[in-house]
Amino acid sequence: MRFSVCFVCTGNICRSPMAESVFRARVEDAGLDGAVAVHSAGTGGWHEGDGADPRAVSVLRENGYPSGHTARRFQPSWFSRLDLVIALDQGHLRELRRLAPTAADAAKVRLLRSYDPAAGDDLDVPDPYYGGADGFEECLDMVEAASEGLLAAVRDAVEEKAA
């Protein structure tokens, strides 16, 4: 059974699809794509069925990441098949833990930037939606910085699960 990770932001058109794309590339580069499934979703359903924000797509493409995406809303029933639920900010963290059916499910929810030792106490990835392209670049930088630590944690969990 594959280790399953889902990135969650508000509408699933900016931060979480960027994180999904970057992390999927890291998983593939590490040779773990057969062992790790990577998804994303939003806490709200406003953009369900839409593609990623064109600014997010542009930044991803400019940096060599694939950008195919369709937004969807996170469902509490997914907790049973997810190993990690990665929130992009404190608001998402609170909402996801509130939606968790059990304490064990709530414990699966983590903040993305908690995997970046250089992040300090500021663990939110700011929402770039209402700003310019520079906000999307900043988002990508934060996602990339946290992805290495997350990959190490997921690799350890995959090895532990297989043992």
Side-chain angles (χ1 to χ4, degrees), residues 54-68:
R55 296 165 295 177
V57 171
S58 177
V59 167
L60 287 168
R61 284 186 183 154
E62 288 169 10
N63 289 277
Y65 296 105
S67 57

Side-chain angles (χ1 to χ4, degrees), residues 16-74:
S16 59
M18 291 178 78
E20 176 186 6
S21 184
V22 169
F23 193 66
R24 182 175 287 120
R26 295 291 188 275
V27 165
E28 289 171 4
D29 289 348
L32 294 172
D33 46 320
V36 179
V38 183
H39 314 279
S40 68
T43 57
W46 312 278
H47 298 287
E48 275 186 294
D50 294 344
D53 185 291
R55 296 165 295 177
V57 171
S58 177
V59 167
L60 287 168
R61 284 186 183 154
E62 288 169 10
N63 289 277
Y65 296 105
S67 57
H69 174 74
T70 303
R72 60 192 188 145
R73 184 176 189 170
F74 187 86

Side-chain angles (χ1 to χ4, degrees), residues 8 19 25 33 51 56 60 68-69 75 78 82 94 96 138 143 157 161:
V8 181
D33 46 320
L60 287 168
H69 174 74
Q75 301 297 317
W78 297 354
L82 294 170
R94 285 188 299 274
L96 289 162
E138 178 185 23
V143 166
K161 205 174 186 179

